[in-house]
Amino acid sequence: MSLLRKHWPFVVLALLPLVPLWRAVFLGEAIGPFDQILQMAPWNLDPVPGRSWDVLQADGVLQFWVWRGLVLEGWSNFDFPFWNPYQLMGTPLLANSQSGAFYPLHILFGILHIPLKAAVTLLAWIHLGLAGIGSYKLTRHLGGVKEGAVFAGAVVALSPLLVSWAPLASVITTLAWLPWLLLWTLRTAESTSWRSAIKPAAWMGACGGLMILAGHLQFAAYAFMAAVLAGALALVVRRKPEVSVLASAPSLVLGLVLAGCLSAPQLLPVLSFSKNSHRGGAASEEGYQAYLGGALKPFEALGTAFPAVSGLPGQSFVTEEGASPAFWPAYVKRGANFAESALAIGPLALVLLFFGWRRRKEAGHWVIASGALLGLAIAFGTPLNRLLYFGLPGWSSTGSPGRAICLFVFCAAVLAGLMWPKAEESAPKLWPGICGAAALLMLSIVIPITQATSFGSWIPEFDPSGIITSTALEAAPLASLAAAAACGALWLIHKGRSRDALIAAIACQILIFGPSTLLTSKTVFQKTESDPQVRIAAVNADWHLLTPADAIYPPNTAAATGLRDVAGYDSLLHKETVEHLKAINGRDPAPEANGNIMHIKPGFDAQLLADSGVSKVLSQRPIQGLIANKSTPYY
């Protein structure tokens, strides 16, 4: 029991991920909205009642389930998972980066023959826990009390950001190492001699290398930007006067070099393959404007305290025409998605930041604050994005700049934890904090309702005001409970009952997102043995942002079921593959909604398809002029 009392923060933060993962852990369900895909042909299963289409969450099923399965299968047979033979007439698996083929835990789980569904759940649990414990350690390193540090870890581990990205496994696997990278960067920067700098620099390199091996290079790039900024500021705003800049500055560089060396077996093939990417090309002003379109808009910040006011993943808005996604920013900004705008940290964290920051300003706080400000500056489309887009090679091929909010969420959580009062400090004033929490609740509900008619839509002749108003009103009860928990935590802090306040604070974080928001499914794809000489072509016309497509074997599901498909869906596509599919289709093989999806569309060239090794065409509708014979053996 004494050991438990001593290490209780680690136990709490290791168990907290069970809240969002409870259906996967205790009911054996799979992480990801498989029901959204299995309602398509050839399965045609009924969708889960009340759950709406989420195009980004669907990628967890279409991409990451397939990639994790291939990587684990490869390592279970002691085969390097270099190649995906099932999609796009064969395509690199290692060099797509997000497969995480050389990530140590993937190798270990494969060798141990852990089943795919259990492995995905266990990996999510481990990395949510790692993110929370890393945030705790970082907060403690900067002088935070235990309760405040545990609160910082809880904000991160239960954050809408990480939970909503959980089905897209490379994201949380990458971000789990962000607080650890910052921690060892600061420790390296605070070294007093060459000897003392070696250990933290080595750990810095290890965390950075694991982050790159985890696979999502855009999120890893944001993390390294924050680490470089924090390291540089730590050298200038030194908390310890005995710090040796001559020792720590080169050690920081050494840590970055070690990270590159450790990740080189995976990173170098990715960089080599990316030179032939279909998304490659010179940065242009037109491309920059398109890239900037993914930046967050001010209305997407309305859910910073209570994310439910903007609608949650899978939540439906039901009308006479049917169920539509309740996440209303998707109707206002084309391509908006909950996960890519999930900057929510909750009302208590915001109150602590506002009132605590004015009460105590320390050097280490400014270092962490720089990361939060950097994330906001990139995410909301400031001119800093122009420097990145035109200045960094390859940056023009990255995804939405809004994803930089990951830096805000992690750094703001740590700052909020640092604002937790220390035992020797006088009790903070109670009523300003409670009034702040109440004001956040009121503004979060009232602003969407009163301004609903002012939001236009990118959808012609569509008025989103009904969905906006309905979603905000539906969120009010849960948001009120979260605000009450925040006020309770503030009252307990004021009374000096810090441990009890932490319980209320964690309850607040659970309530802002809810324990049932992570999309899980009872049914998954069943893989069967198939003839490796048979290659199929599933004929599909389109893909949609807000509604499921009328598709048969949607992209990459062939791989999940053991079939070989001429088309597919990947984060990195060889430009010659795209050109070949364009020739088969006589037009762009990608749907307008997603440039990484490659379809075989109606009107394809049958002979070119046959020349590509296709021996079976699958279509939900008759294909005019297609006759089975020796030269075009379709049926």
Side-chain angles (χ1 to χ4, degrees):
M1 291 298 293
S2 60
L3 189 65
L4 183 61
R5 282 196 294 269
K6 181 179 179 181
H7 298 292
W8 66 267
F10 301 102
V11 175
V12 169
L13 292 172
L15 294 178
L16 271 183
L18 290 175
V19 176
L21 295 173
W22 73 273
R23 297 190 68 89
V25 173
F26 298 114
L27 302 182
E29 296 185 2
I31 295 176
F34 286 84
D35 61 285
Q36 295 186 4
I37 305 303
L38 291 173
Q39 65 184 300
M40 301 176 188
W43 309 280
N44 298 312
L45 301 183
D46 292 332
V48 174
R51 181 181 289 181
S52 65
W53 172 257
D54 188 306
V55 69
L56 185 63
Q57 297 288 309
D59 284 356
V61 176
L62 297 174
Q63 291 187 313
F64 293 90
W65 180 264
V66 176
W67 296 336
R68 288 293 177 271
L70 292 174
V71 168
L72 294 179
E73 182 182 358
W75 287 116
S76 69
N77 298 321
F78 292 96
D79 292 331
F80 290 121
F82 290 139
W83 192 251
N84 175 0
Y86 295 99
Q87 301 297 156
L88 299 161
M89 299 165 285
T91 188
L93 180 63
L94 169 65
N96 86 344
S97 180
Q98 295 199 66
S99 65
F102 283 170
Y103 187 66
L105 281 180
H106 296 163
I107 298 173
L108 177 63
F109 280 28
I111 293 174
L112 294 177
H113 293 270
I114 297 178
L116 177 57
K117 183 164 64 172
V120 170
T121 298
L122 188 54
L123 286 166
W125 186 354
I126 289 172
H127 289 99
L128 288 175
L130 271 174
I133 293 172
S135 300
Y136 166 84
K137 294 286 288 183
L138 179 58
T139 307
R140 291 286 285 162
H141 174 73
L142 291 170
V145 298
K146 276 190 176 181
E147 290 80 6
V150 172
F151 175 64
V155 172
V156 168
L158 299 175
S159 67
L161 172 77
L162 290 187
V163 175
S164 61
W165 277 106
L168 291 84
S170 71
V171 176
I172 64 170
T173 308
T174 300
L175 289 178
W177 297 104
L178 169 56
W180 296 97
L181 178 65
L182 292 175
L183 170 65
W184 289 109
T185 297
L186 293 181
R187 287 188 173 180
T188 303
E190 294 165 2
S191 300
T192 57
S193 66
W194 282 98
R195 186 183 297 274
S196 64
I198 293 175
K199 179 181 176 180
W203 279 110
M204 175 188 170
C207 293
L210 287 168
M211 175 174 286
I212 297 172
L213 289 173
H216 205 296
L217 297 185
Q218 184 184 13
F219 281 102
Y222 289 138
F224 277 101
M225 289 178 193
V228 169
L229 179 60
L233 287 176
L235 294 177
V236 176
V237 188
R238 294 194 293 275
R239 297 192 303 139
K240 301 177 182 178
E242 65 271 20
V243 168
S244 171
V245 176
L246 292 178
S248 54
S251 298
L252 288 171
V253 177
L254 175 62
L256 295 175
V257 172
L258 285 174
C261 292
L262 288 172
S263 59
Q266 182 172 295
L267 181 61
L268 293 180
V270 173
L271 295 178
S272 177
F273 185 51
S274 65
K275 294 177 182 178
N276 297 304
S277 169
H278 71 301
R279 294 193 296 185
S284 65
E285 186 62 33
E286 182 181 2
Y288 174 68
Q289 294 304 322
Y291 166 79
L292 210 58
L296 299 188
K297 308 302 179 189
F299 62 82
E300 293 180 87
L302 288 173
T304 306
F306 307 98
V309 300
S310 297
L312 301 176
Q315 182 183 357
S316 294
F317 175 77
V318 181
T319 64
E320 295 180 356
E321 289 76 21
S324 301
F327 179 69
W328 58 262
Y331 302 97
V332 180
K333 186 184 85 172
R334 181 180 175 84
N337 186 276
F338 181 89
E340 294 196 330
S341 58
L343 72 169
I345 57 174
L348 180 58
L350 288 171
V351 167
L352 287 173
L353 282 175
F354 181 76
F355 293 103
W357 184 257
R358 298 178 63 182
R359 182 168 49 85
R360 185 169 68 244
K361 302 175 184 178
E362 298 178 5
H365 299 177
W366 289 107
V367 173
I368 294 301
S370 69
L373 294 174
L374 175 66
L376 291 176
I378 297 173
F380 281 91
T382 66
L384 178 59
N385 285 280
R386 179 175 289 275
L387 295 177
L388 295 175
Y389 185 87
F390 290 102
L392 286 182
W395 197 259
S396 59
S397 299
T398 59
S400 165
R403 296 173 180 178
I405 55 166
C406 63
L407 301 182
F408 168 77
V409 171
F410 276 81
C411 294
V414 170
L415 283 173
L418 289 170
M419 297 305 118
W420 198 282
K422 298 180 179 180
E424 65 272 15
E425 294 176 342
S426 59
K429 294 182 179 180
L430 177 62
W431 287 109
I434 289 180
C435 291
L440 285 171
L441 174 65
M442 182 178 299
L443 292 173
S444 298
I445 303 298
V446 170
I447 290 178
I449 293 175
T450 58
Q451 300 299 313
T453 56
S454 65
F455 293 113
S457 176
W458 60 273
I459 304 172
E461 299 180 359
F462 179 78
D463 180 8
S465 60
I467 295 180
I468 296 173
T469 301
S470 175
T471 301
L473 289 174
E474 190 174 336
L478 190 64
S480 299
L481 288 175
C487 292
L490 291 169
W491 181 78
L492 290 167
I493 291 174
H494 179 74
K495 293 295 183 180
R497 296 165 57 182
S498 190
R499 195 69 59 84
D500 294 333
L502 177 60
I503 296 174
I506 292 175
C508 174
Q509 296 310 120
I510 293 173
L511 287 168
I512 68 166
F513 201 35
S516 300
T517 306
L518 178 65
L519 303 182
T520 60
S521 303
K522 297 178 180 178
T523 306
V524 299
F525 302 116
Q526 298 300 315
K527 195 164 186 176
T528 58
E529 294 295 330
S530 60
D531 186 349
Q533 303 302 317
V534 174
R535 179 174 291 158
I536 70 165
V539 181
N540 292 302
D542 213 343
W543 199 251
H544 307 299
L545 293 175
L546 300 175
T547 57
D550 181 18
I552 180 170
Y553 278 113
N556 280 15
T557 56
T561 56
L563 298 174
R564 284 162 170 76
D565 190 357
V566 69
Y569 183 14
D570 214 315
S571 53
L572 276 178
L573 298 164
H574 199 288
K575 56 187 177 184
E576 291 183 2
T577 299
V578 176
E579 289 301 317
H580 183 72
L581 291 171
K582 186 180 294 186
I584 291 174
N585 284 290
R587 50 179 166 158
D588 189 351
E592 185 180 355
N594 191 323
N596 290 333
I597 288 177
M598 297 290 111
H599 281 322
I600 296 299
K601 298 182 178 181
F604 59 84
D605 186 310
Q607 188 58 56
L608 284 178
L609 203 59
D611 293 343
S612 302
V614 172
S615 56
K616 187 175 183 179
V617 172
L618 303 174
S619 176
Q620 299 187 87
R621 297 166 184 81
I623 301 174
Q624 187 176 4
L626 190 62
I627 303 173
N629 54 48
K630 291 183 179 180
S631 62
T632 56
Y634 307 111
Y635 59 97

